[in-house]
Amino acid sequence: MTNELTSFADQEKVEAKYIAINDILADANFNSRGAITPMDVVDLVKDIEANGLLQPVLVCLMPPGSGKKYRLLAGFRRTMAHIVMQKTEILACVREHVYSETDARFINLAENLKRKELSLLQEVSALQELQRLGVSEPKAAERLGQTRSWVQIRYMICKLPTEIHKEIDAGYISQVNVRELYTIYNGSGKDALYDAVKRIKDARIKGVKGTISVKPPKEKSGNKRVRNKGELEGLMTHCQATIGNGLHTRILAWAIGNIEDSELIDSMIEYAEAIGKPYTPPIDGLVPLC
């Protein structure tokens, strides 16, 4: 999988130069790690004092009239370390582009993921902003160089009530549980979700190790009904993990709303060609066929 974020760092071959720290907008709400305090960089300060700054920070130009000249994209800990050291300048790579909010957040998140410094909830918070900006799961996975499943779990957590986030952060809820809880929440509502979380938490407090399943009871054979989005996502993930991707997963992705009609039609054309079957795409899109 090609990581498009690499191109962000390489598309402008510029030399690092010293810039004034006071000219940099370092927005804690933008940074995937959140606010950085002096206590967070004690060891980094010692390392910089001993070895110098090994990697420049990354900034882009701010639009005229913004109040600051540069926007900090990556290097919040390094910048704080320089502030603690009472430095007035820092070595930076300056990108001439004024990046869109989406691109800027991708750059910041990719930098932090590369350094493996984020907790699960910090990753979720960063992805929640991308979700708010309209970034789909497939696009987020592509541009971050992560698996679709990795992004999907975090997007699911974004959609769960914030009270559940606290239990995840405390270590009671595993990523395996997230899929089950998401399905319960979409199918049975908030009360059923809280009951399931309580059962998991009580079991953890009692010392139960390993996976604690809270899957809803299986339906009787022949019980037909319209499936909700969480169930369709769960089935798609199951298919991807067991038999791989194919037309079946593309159809599920279309049903969930992750791909457009034209993308599914292209997949159907490719599949028909592969099996030697004639196929004529519908003129008015796929919806009239349903």
Side-chain angles (χ1 to χ4, degrees):
M1 181 182 297
T2 301
N3 187 343
E4 293 182 9
L5 290 172
T6 302
S7 64
F8 281 128
D10 295 339
Q11 63 188 356
E12 298 175 34
K13 299 298 183 181
V14 297
E15 293 184 2
K17 64 180 182 180
Y18 283 96
I19 62 175
I21 292 176
N22 283 340
D23 286 341
I24 303 173
L25 172 65
D27 183 4
N29 293 323
F30 165 79
N31 187 29
S32 298
R33 285 175 57 91
I36 305 296
T37 69
M39 290 299 297
D40 295 327
V41 296
V42 172
D43 290 338
L44 181 57
V45 166
K46 294 177 181 177
D47 184 71
I48 293 174
E49 287 176 337
N51 304 304
L53 182 62
L54 300 180
Q55 183 178 359
V57 301
L58 178 64
V59 301
C60 68
L61 292 178
M62 293 281 286
S66 300
K68 294 286 187 179
K69 187 174 180 179
Y70 307 102
R71 180 182 193 180
L72 185 59
L73 300 176
F76 282 75
R77 293 182 72 250
R78 282 164 275 166
T79 301
M80 176 56 72
H82 276 62
I83 293 172
V84 170
M85 296 163 64
Q86 299 184 340
K87 300 288 187 180
T88 58
E89 293 183 325
I90 190 168
L91 191 63
C93 287
V94 181
R95 304 305 179 191
E96 299 299 323
H97 292 53
V98 179
Y99 287 114
S100 70
E101 184 67 16
T102 300
D103 286 343
R105 288 188 177 277
F106 268 123
I107 292 170
N108 179 263
L109 178 54
E111 167 77 9
N112 281 289
L113 289 175
K114 181 175 66 176
R115 295 173 177 273
K116 300 183 176 165
E117 295 175 335
L118 298 180
S119 69
L120 175 60
L121 282 192
Q122 285 174 329
E123 294 170 356
V124 168
S125 178
L127 283 167
Q128 194 164 29
E129 288 301 315
L130 293 175
Q131 189 181 54
R132 181 182 61 80
L133 292 166
V135 178
S136 67
E137 289 177 9
K139 181 56 68 175
E142 178 186 357
R143 293 185 66 173
L144 290 171
Q146 299 288 342
T147 66
R148 176 70 181 278
S149 177
W150 186 93
V151 174
Q152 192 176 67
I153 284 288
R154 286 150 182 80
Y155 266 35
M156 285 179 178
I157 295 174
C158 288
K159 298 170 186 175
L160 293 176
T162 54
E163 297 91 338
I164 309 304
H165 293 187
K166 297 175 184 177
E167 306 300 344
I168 294 172
D169 196 38
Y172 293 117
I173 308 299
S174 70
Q175 293 189 37
V176 174
N177 292 140
V178 168
R179 292 192 185 279
E180 296 178 354
L181 294 174
Y182 183 75
T183 299
I184 291 170
Y185 183 46
N186 278 281
S188 303
K190 195 176 276 191
D191 288 343
L193 170 68
Y194 290 155
D195 178 68
V197 170
K198 184 178 185 303
R199 281 185 280 140
I200 295 171
K201 184 175 180 178
D202 289 346
R204 291 294 182 206
I205 291 173
K206 291 177 182 177
V208 176
K209 304 295 184 182
T211 302
I212 301 170
S213 178
V214 287
K215 286 182 180 177
K218 290 185 179 180
E219 299 169 356
K220 293 180 180 179
S221 178
N223 185 4
K224 298 179 181 179
R225 62 178 174 80
V226 176
R227 309 296 170 172
N228 61 53
K229 184 177 180 180
E231 291 172 305
L232 293 175
E233 288 177 333
L235 176 58
M236 184 166 66
T237 301
H238 169 74
C239 290
Q240 290 170 328
T242 55
I243 58 178
N245 288 312
L247 184 59
H248 51 291
T249 52
R250 296 293 282 174
I251 291 172
L252 286 168
W254 173 80
I256 294 167
N258 287 345
I259 64 173
E260 300 177 355
D261 287 11
S262 60
E263 295 176 277
L264 178 56
I265 289 173
D266 288 343
S267 296
M268 294 170 73
I269 292 172
E270 292 177 6
Y271 181 75
E273 291 176 350
I275 64 174
K277 291 281 187 179
Y279 172 67
T280 303
I283 296 174
D284 298 323
L286 293 168
V287 175
L289 298 180
C290 299

